[in-house]
Amino acid sequence: MWVLLAIMAPQAHNDEHENEGTLGLPIGYDVPFRVVQPSDAPALQRFLGRCSERTIYLRFFGSLNEFTEEKAQYFAHVDGTDHFAFVAIDPGDQDEIIAVVRYDREPGEEQAEYAAIVEDSWQGHGIGIDLTRRLVDVACAKGVRYFYAMVMGKNRRMLELLRHLDLPEQEHQQEGVKHVEVELAPQAN
């Protein structure tokens, strides 16, 4: 059984989605965000290089000896429908990424894999949840009805992010990994 969380997508303003803007953090920073771009590949490599081994382990379920240019190019290219990602930009250095949230799905499917990672020094300030809410909005508009993810039981920040959405929760855990399914647009009864 999967963890089932029902997320209601926020209403878009005038049926348009905000694919770039600024996140106002409670700590006083305004953090720019936007859709990932192909030119972000080197910044993605630097970003993951700054993340701690623990953060990498919790996101990728193991060490990441090298985040190759080929992998960076893959993560930096999205089609806006089946592959979509937001990046948050360091307010002190516009060339540096500090967070990524994304979904990927097979064409025509209603389910998409969800993933997020925030640089260690920026964790706990609301970037992940704010970007996830925006990602849910985009996904719903593109016909995605469910996000699924495997979350390590030790990944308390990811589990807290999901719980801060104030959603009903059930969990299925297998070998230390929680299987999570998030319903983005519950059908009306």
Side-chain angles (χ1 to χ4, degrees):
M1 176 177 288
W2 295 85
V3 174
L4 181 60
L5 304 170
I7 296 180
M8 296 300 297
Q11 294 296 315
H13 304 292
N14 300 324
D15 292 331
E16 291 186 23
H17 303 284
E18 295 180 26
N19 288 334
E20 64 179 56
T22 303
L23 306 172
L25 302 186
I27 58 172
Y29 286 103
D30 289 329
V31 175
F33 75 91
R34 60 175 168 71
V35 175
V36 72
Q37 302 168 356
S39 60
D40 287 329
L44 287 169
Q45 288 179 296
R46 292 190 305 271
F47 160 64
L48 291 172
R50 289 190 309 272
C51 290
S52 70
E53 286 187 37
R54 178 172 172 76
T55 294
I56 295 294
Y57 176 77
L58 293 175
R59 165 58 181 90
F60 294 99
F61 288 60
S63 65
L64 197 60
N65 295 332
E66 181 183 5
F67 191 69
T68 65
E69 185 175 335
E70 181 179 43
K71 285 181 185 176
Q73 287 294 330
Y74 171 80
F75 282 104
H77 284 79
V78 296
D79 65 13
T81 301
D82 296 319
H83 307 281
F84 192 92
F86 280 123
V87 293
I89 308 300
D90 186 332
D93 186 346
Q94 298 296 300
D95 293 328
E96 298 303 329
I97 292 170
I98 60 172
V100 179
V101 298
R102 69 179 295 122
Y103 74 79
D104 294 285
R105 72 169 169 179
E106 293 297 320
E109 293 291 322
E110 291 185 328
Q111 279 192 333
E113 183 176 10
Y114 163 78
I117 185 169
V118 177
E119 186 176 331
D120 297 66
S121 62
W122 289 96
Q123 291 177 8
H125 300 296
I127 295 172
I129 195 165
D130 285 353
L131 286 180
T132 296
R133 286 181 176 138
R134 294 169 193 280
L135 188 70
V136 166
D137 190 35
V138 170
C140 284
K142 302 298 182 183
V144 176
R145 292 199 52 230
Y146 301 93
F147 279 168
Y148 66 89
M150 292 187 299
V151 180
M152 294 192 79
K154 298 175 184 177
N155 194 346
R156 291 185 186 155
R157 288 203 187 267
M158 179 60 78
L159 296 171
E160 286 175 16
L161 179 149
L162 296 171
R163 290 179 183 133
H164 275 55
L165 296 170
D166 296 324
L167 303 170
E169 189 173 331
Q170 298 176 12
E171 297 181 356
H172 169 70
Q173 187 166 326
Q174 183 177 1
E175 297 181 20
V177 176
K178 294 187 180 190
H179 298 269
V180 179
E181 183 175 296
V182 179
E183 185 177 356
L184 304 183
Q187 295 192 358
N189 293 329

